[in-house]
Amino acid sequence: MTHTAPIGPVDSSKVPRFAGFATFARLPRIDQVDRADVAVVGVPFDAGVSYRPGARFGPAAVREASRLLRPYHPGLDVSPFAAAQVVDAGDIAINPFNIGEAIETLQQEAEALTADGTKLVTVGGDHTIALPLLRAAAKKHGPVALLLFDAHLDTWDTYFGEPYTHGTPFRRASEEGVLDTSALSHVGTRGPLYGKRDLEEDRRLGFGIVTSGDVLRRGVDETVDALRQRIGDRPLYVSVDIDVLDPAHAPGTGTPEAGGLTSRELLEILRGLRDCNLIGADVVELAPAYDHAEITAIAASHVAYDLVSLLSLGVKND
């Protein structure tokens, strides 16, 4: 099947970056194209947070910070917006007063968006949204491998007796069988826990851990090699909580922890996933009210750009 050439971003040499519609990277909206190979979609939801609220404003902040992104990615040697039809699919509106309903709605919307083969890079919102996104991915691909970039485990059982929060999605996903438990990895975890049992239960769910200290000692290349060995060629979902970055690189988040990755380390690890079977991704937990000079929003927009670029490498335009 022959596809029309992708429609790319607005030309910044003709329309100033600070003008025009604030779509991600100034890309066309999904209703302006005849197909979408990769869609960036926002989920402005933060009813699952346990500390600072405000991640519902994350998608808008990422779009605004993404105005400066350019169409060629030298680190991956790809022009993602020419290699694939990338679009901004807008925001998915879900109920902020009913987490159960919100989860069901998001799963249905994600399934509808990906039904024809479109791959999603979802911008949150808090980490609760990862569960319905993983459910939708597993419905299409079977149990998926997972790389979870996060300061925290997010495999706790409940918060205040509630099973669906931003600290529980990956426990639920493991219990529900949507994850391939032979290929699960935390990256960048650090900081205090409630007890040693947290680590024991996390291990029982199938996760391996690469702490931020491990990345420091081993370096990016050794870290990437270890992750790729664990992933293999399985369908891979990548979930990036922006708090995986040190607060110096991402102050605008709900639960910051000292001692995190640099934005350079995170981006280089992501680029090391080239040729993996990436099927979807999210970037979550940006809370703009706590940001300074758009530091966190800029980091999140570049993470989303790298994920879009990785997905574009797998698109075949015959």
Side-chain angles (χ1 to χ4, degrees):
M1 180 178 180
T2 301
H3 289 306
T4 56
I7 299 173
V10 173
D11 187 343
S12 295
S13 69
K14 297 178 180 177
V15 180
R17 296 181 186 280
F18 44 80
F21 293 103
T23 58
F24 181 81
R26 313 186 80 196
L27 287 161
R29 302 188 311 267
I30 195 168
D31 60 341
Q32 295 176 310
V33 298
D34 60 2
R35 75 179 199 282
D37 299 312
V38 181
V40 178
V41 62
V43 182
F45 175 86
D46 62 5
V49 300
S50 58
Y51 191 47
R52 294 173 173 173
R56 66 183 62 182
F57 302 110
V62 167
R63 288 189 177 99
E64 190 63 27
S66 75
R67 288 177 179 270
L68 196 57
L69 294 172
R70 299 177 181 87
Y72 174 66
H73 192 313
L76 290 169
D77 188 23
V78 64
S79 296
F81 311 137
Q85 180 60 72
V86 188
V87 303
D88 189 320
D91 288 341
I92 296 174
I94 55 179
N95 191 337
F97 301 112
N98 186 320
I99 293 180
E101 180 186 318
I103 288 172
E104 293 299 322
T105 300
L106 179 51
Q107 181 180 344
Q108 292 167 11
E109 293 289 337
E111 288 176 6
L113 280 168
T114 58
D116 61 356
T118 301
K119 295 181 179 178
L120 299 184
V121 174
T122 307
V123 180
D126 76 56
H127 226 155
T128 310
I129 71 171
L131 176 60
L133 294 170
L134 285 166
R135 286 176 177 172
K139 203 164 183 179
K140 193 174 187 67
H141 300 279
V144 297
L146 172 70
L147 286 185
L148 171 56
F149 293 84
D150 199 323
H152 310 96
L153 300 174
D154 287 3
T155 52
W156 286 286
D157 191 17
T158 62
Y159 268 85
F160 307 102
E162 294 297 323
Y164 300 109
T165 76
H166 75 158
T168 64
F170 303 102
R171 190 186 191 106
R172 299 287 90 81
S174 181
E175 292 170 344
E176 293 176 11
V178 301
L179 299 180
D180 183 336
T181 55
S182 67
L184 309 179
S185 294
H186 296 285
V187 184
T189 53
R190 61 192 185 277
L193 300 170
Y194 297 105
K196 191 171 183 178
R197 182 180 176 185
D198 293 344
L199 295 171
E200 294 166 350
E201 292 189 357
D202 189 78
R203 192 178 307 112
R204 178 179 58 81
L205 293 169
F207 282 88
I209 295 178
V210 179
T211 69
S212 59
D214 292 333
V215 175
L216 172 67
R217 285 183 288 271
R218 298 175 185 174
V220 167
D221 291 344
E222 186 176 329
T223 297
V224 167
D225 287 344
L227 294 175
R228 289 180 66 101
Q229 288 179 28
R230 192 170 178 89
I231 297 162
D233 60 357
R234 299 169 179 85
L236 171 65
Y237 189 93
V238 172
S239 185
V240 180
D241 185 326
I242 205 64
D243 74 19
V244 74
L245 299 179
D246 189 88
H249 296 264
T253 190
T255 48
E257 303 280 358
L261 302 184
T262 66
S263 53
R264 178 177 59 243
E265 288 171 330
L266 174 58
L267 293 172
E268 287 299 321
I269 292 171
L270 289 175
R271 292 164 192 172
L273 302 177
R274 183 182 184 129
D275 300 325
C276 288
N277 185 17
L278 184 64
I279 53 90
D282 62 59
V283 185
V284 300
E285 298 284 354
L286 164 61
Y290 306 100
D291 207 2
H292 303 280
E294 297 184 295
I295 293 171
T296 316
I298 290 167
S301 71
H302 279 263
V303 169
Y305 176 65
D306 271 45
L307 292 167
V308 166
S309 297
L310 287 167
L311 286 169
S312 77
L313 288 166
V315 172
K316 301 290 189 295
N317 288 311
D318 299 322

